[in-house]
Amino acid sequence: VQLVESGGGLVQAGGSLRLSCAASGFPWTDYALGWFRQAPGKAEKERKGVSCISVFSSRAVYADSVKGRFTISTDNAKNTVYLQMNDLKPEDTAVYYCATDLFTSYQCLPADFSGWGQGTQVTVSS
């Protein structure tokens, strides 16, 4: 499994970013993909789910803190998952990770994902 994230950066509050994660090495349609984030000063075990999607069903789930602002989507022809982030807030500042595993549930828990990207930094200034 290989996941390569891109699209992070520095943005002012209220701005937008789109994260991309190019995936390879696994049967795409059988898997779930998720975006997780690790806030500054937090340990890896405190990484939290932002949004997850089943490639097969296209059903997505979101953390309450990002509902209405973030949208997860996939491009199945490119084996890529995106996270469109609008109306960004300083509290969205974190390293964002893409992850994947065989689909098991819609809980979007880090423990359910074994394949991880290297992360991309998102910084939102006030």
Side-chain angles (χ1 to χ4, degrees):
V1 172
Q2 185 173 18
L3 301 169
V4 180
E5 301 106 330
S6 60
L10 173 64
V11 64
Q12 289 189 328
S16 298
L17 284 174
R18 189 177 80 154
L19 305 183
S20 300
C21 174
S24 61
F26 59 93
W28 175 257
T29 56
D30 294 338
Y31 276 57
L33 292 145
W35 287 98
F36 299 83
R37 65 188 182 187
Q38 186 170 337
K42 298 293 187 180
E44 182 177 334
K45 64 181 179 180
E46 298 175 276
R47 199 173 288 179
K48 295 186 182 299
V50 175
S51 181
C52 294
I53 187 169
S54 162
V55 175
F56 179 77
S57 70
S58 296
R59 178 185 169 189
V61 294
Y62 297 90
D64 288 342
S65 59
V66 306
K67 282 180 181 176
R69 299 189 297 123
F70 290 11
T71 303
I72 192 171
S73 62
T74 62
D75 184 333
N76 294 344
K78 296 181 179 180
N79 281 20
T80 300
V81 59
Y82 303 98
L83 186 68
Q84 178 66 44
M85 304 186 295
N86 299 329
D87 189 23
L88 282 159
K89 306 176 186 298
E91 53 263 41
D92 294 319
T93 295
V95 178
Y96 283 71
Y97 295 90
C98 173
T100 189
D101 212 320
L102 280 169
F103 173 77
T104 56
S105 77
Y106 288 107
Q107 295 187 71
C108 202
L109 298 173
D112 291 338
F113 290 78
S114 61
W116 291 83
Q118 81 287 355
T120 186
Q121 177 71 48
V122 172
T123 302
V124 185
S125 63
S126 56

